[in-house]
Amino acid sequence: MKEGIKLMLMAVPELRNFLFDFSKPYKIDLEKFMLNNYHFNVPVEEFSKLTGRSLSGFKRDFQKTFGMPPRKWLQEKRLSEAKHLIESKNKRPSSIYLDLGFESLSHFSQAFKKRFGKAPTLDV
């Protein structure tokens, strides 16, 4: 096994950094990560782990980056995207709510109505 690893490292020296990196996980770019992944139905606690932060560190960094708590931002972002998809792309609420991280159509409809003052329909 040792000989195999030595041969691999001789053939591809850049593997050394990959195979023998024992440093602590680093924090990834929170803004970029969240903008790319907000639509996944993932608890805030999981988002914190995925970005290399403790829950309190995640909430603190999130507030600094986005100016609001994570749960509120996630709902706002998802609802804004839903409104865009319904108005501009003529998407039906029943075809987008899961893709935007909502667990049920009724929860999506209630949140949408609370945010925009009307039900999510194609004539929004």
Side-chain angles (χ1 to χ4, degrees):
M1 188 175 213
K2 286 181 184 179
E3 287 180 31
I5 292 173
K6 284 181 183 179
L7 289 171
M8 272 191 345
L9 291 173
M10 286 175 26
V12 187
E14 346 21 282
L15 283 177
R16 178 176 301 282
N17 293 334
F18 177 74
L19 292 174
F20 301 106
D21 181 8
F22 299 108
S23 62
K24 289 185 178 181
Y26 61 95
K27 294 178 183 179
I28 63 171
D29 183 334
L30 182 64
E31 184 175 14
K32 183 179 177 182
F33 181 83
M34 292 306 296
L35 289 172
N36 288 326
N37 296 290
Y38 69 89
H39 57 277
F40 291 110
N41 185 10
V42 174
V44 171
E45 295 79 11
E46 191 63 27
F47 276 127
S48 71
K49 290 176 191 172
L50 293 169
T51 60
R53 293 165 170 80
S54 67
L55 181 58
S56 59
F58 176 78
K59 288 179 177 179
R60 184 178 50 253
D61 291 350
F62 199 98
Q63 182 73 38
K64 241 188 272 183
T65 302
F66 293 103
M68 65 178 68
R71 284 183 178 87
K72 182 176 181 180
W73 182 87
L74 284 166
Q75 182 147 352
E76 287 289 318
K77 185 72 174 157
R78 291 169 178 165
L79 290 172
S80 294
E81 180 65 14
K83 188 170 194 246
H84 167 74
L85 291 172
I86 292 167
E87 288 179 346
S88 303
K89 308 286 183 182
N90 293 323
K91 298 284 186 175
R92 295 190 166 283
S94 59
S95 68
I96 62 169
Y97 77 95
L98 287 173
D99 294 337
L100 293 173
F102 289 93
E103 292 183 11
S104 71
L105 183 56
S106 64
H107 175 247
F108 167 69
S109 295
Q110 288 172 350
F112 192 97
K113 186 172 183 175
K114 184 177 179 183
R115 172 67 177 88
F116 298 112
K118 55 178 95 175
T121 60
L122 290 177
D123 58 71
V124 172

